[in-house]
Structure formats: structure tokens, C-alpha cells
Amino acid sequence: QVQLVESGGGLVQPGGSLRLSCSASGRTSGSYAMGWFRQAPGKEREFVAAIRWRGGTTVYADSVKGRFTISRDNAKNTMYLQMNSLKPEDTGVYYCAADSTIILSSLSDSRAYDYWGQGIQVTVSS
């Protein structure tokens, strides 16, 4: 089992920045991947970014490329999402996800992840 806890959300003005963190505990050894997904009110959950723990391969949704950066700290078992130039359409609940068996081509597929955090609200509004 893997436990995930998100932090760092909140309210920010358009053009501002936030950094989300996802702390992992439990059976986190070995090769696995972690990702960020988000869900806006009335919309389906969508992929934001993902990273493979070994090698650090990253994948981004087109809507966040150039604005968001995903990274990880191996020693702390923590993943980060640096979000810059935020837009109102970035508003939503952001979820951290993890799995130990995801292949590269499935990193953006929410169905491929077994472990999920509780979610954290990000609101971009003036």
C-alpha cells in the first residue's frame, strides 16, 4: 500500500504561481511513477503531468506545457508541481496518483494508477 498526501493548494490570482507537493509513504521502494490529475466542477478528471521515479522521464498535458514543471525528491519521497502563469481554467481539485507498474505510454491514463491522494483545491481567480 502507498499513502499519498497533497499540500500547497489555495487561491491565487491569474498570472500567479503555486507549488503543490505530494508526499508518499508506505511501499514506495522500487520503480514506480507518479502523476498529477485535476478535476474542475462539472468536468471529468484530466491528466496534468507525470514523472517516472527512476530516470525522471516527464510527460505533460498540452494545456500546461511551458507553465508547469513536475519534479521529485527521491530522498523525501515527495513529488512537486510548480505551477506558473496560472489561468482561471487551471482551477480545480488536484490529485496526486502513484503506481508501480505503469508503462511509459500509460502515464497520462488515470485508470493505470492504483493509489490516489485525497485531492487539494486550486483556485485561480481575481
Side-chain angles (χ1 to χ4, degrees):
Q1 290 290 334
V2 175
Q3 293 78 43
L4 304 172
V5 179
E6 301 100 335
S7 61
L11 172 65
V12 64
Q13 292 187 342
S17 298
L18 278 177
R19 189 176 82 155
L20 303 182
S21 299
C22 175
S23 178
S25 61
R27 299 183 63 179
T28 57
S29 62
S31 176
Y32 61 101
M34 295 182 73
W36 290 99
F37 292 79
R38 67 187 181 189
Q39 188 166 18
K43 295 188 176 182
E44 293 186 355
R45 190 172 299 186
E46 65 174 0
F47 170 73
V48 176
I51 186 167
R52 298 186 79 174
W53 221 247
R54 287 183 183 173
T57 301
T58 58
V59 179
Y60 294 92
D62 288 342
S63 59
V64 306
K65 280 181 181 177
R67 300 188 298 122
F68 291 10
T69 302
I70 191 171
S71 62
R72 88 281 195 215
D73 184 326
N74 291 13
K76 296 181 178 180
N77 271 346
T78 300
M79 174 180 66
Y80 304 98
L81 185 68
Q82 178 66 45
M83 304 185 293
N84 299 328
S85 302
L86 282 161
K87 306 175 181 179
E89 51 263 43
D90 293 318
T91 294
V93 177
Y94 282 67
Y95 297 91
C96 169
D99 199 87
S100 61
T101 60
I102 295 179
I103 59 176
L104 184 60
S105 60
S106 296
L107 285 176
S108 61
D109 187 350
S110 63
R111 298 168 298 178
Y113 292 82
D114 280 344
Y115 304 105
W116 291 84
Q118 78 285 357
I120 193 164
Q121 180 69 43
V122 171
T123 302
V124 184
S125 176
S126 55

